[in-house]
Amino acid sequence: QVQLVESGGGLVQPGESLRLSCAASRSIFRIYGAAWYRQPPGKQRELVAYITPGSMTNYADSVKGRFAISRDNANNTVYLQMNSLKPEDTAVYSCSFGAPPTFWGQGTQVTVSS
């Protein structure tokens, strides 16, 4: 059974940092690329960052230089380090595996507000 378990969301002030984690079943972690998506309130879901099984990365223009996606092969976990957070980063963040995305986590709320 494939499982994706996300953690790390919360409420922060502008300029602060958060790290999201996505622990995946070993059966998919080594095979598929992983991505973080987000869905802001009232908007469509958008791709934030993507990492291949070989750890090549790609980012949305809106987060380049502030966010970093990485993967820990020993722990079957993908991370999204988010720095210099802005109010417009407020969204539900979800991790996925596969291209196109096939397996999804439950989502975690990130709220950036003063």
Side-chain angles (χ1 to χ4, degrees), residues 5-113:
V5 180
E6 299 163 3
S7 60
L11 171 64
V12 296
Q13 294 188 348
E16 293 185 339
S17 299
L18 275 176
R19 188 177 79 160
L20 306 182
S21 301
C22 176
S25 301
R26 185 174 182 177
S27 60
I28 64 169
F29 186 86
R30 301 297 178 98
I31 297 173
Y32 295 105
W36 285 97
Y37 285 79
R38 67 184 181 186
Q39 186 167 17
K43 297 184 179 180
Q44 290 189 336
R45 185 167 57 197
E46 60 184 8
L47 176 64
V48 176
Y50 182 80
I51 187 166
T52 69
S55 295
M56 293 183 65
T57 59
N58 193 27
Y59 297 93
D61 288 343
S62 59
V63 306
K64 281 181 181 177
R66 299 189 298 123
F67 290 13
I69 188 171
S70 61
R71 56 194 299 153
D72 180 349
N73 292 335
N75 294 303
N76 299 328
T77 301
V78 174
Y79 300 100
L80 184 68
Q81 178 67 44
M82 304 185 294
N83 299 325
S84 302
L85 282 161
K86 305 175 181 180
E88 52 263 42
D89 294 318
T90 295
V92 175
Y93 286 71
S94 301
C95 67
S96 71
F97 279 76
T102 305
F103 307 100
W104 289 92
Q106 79 279 10
T108 185
Q109 177 70 45
V110 172
T111 303
V112 185
S113 175

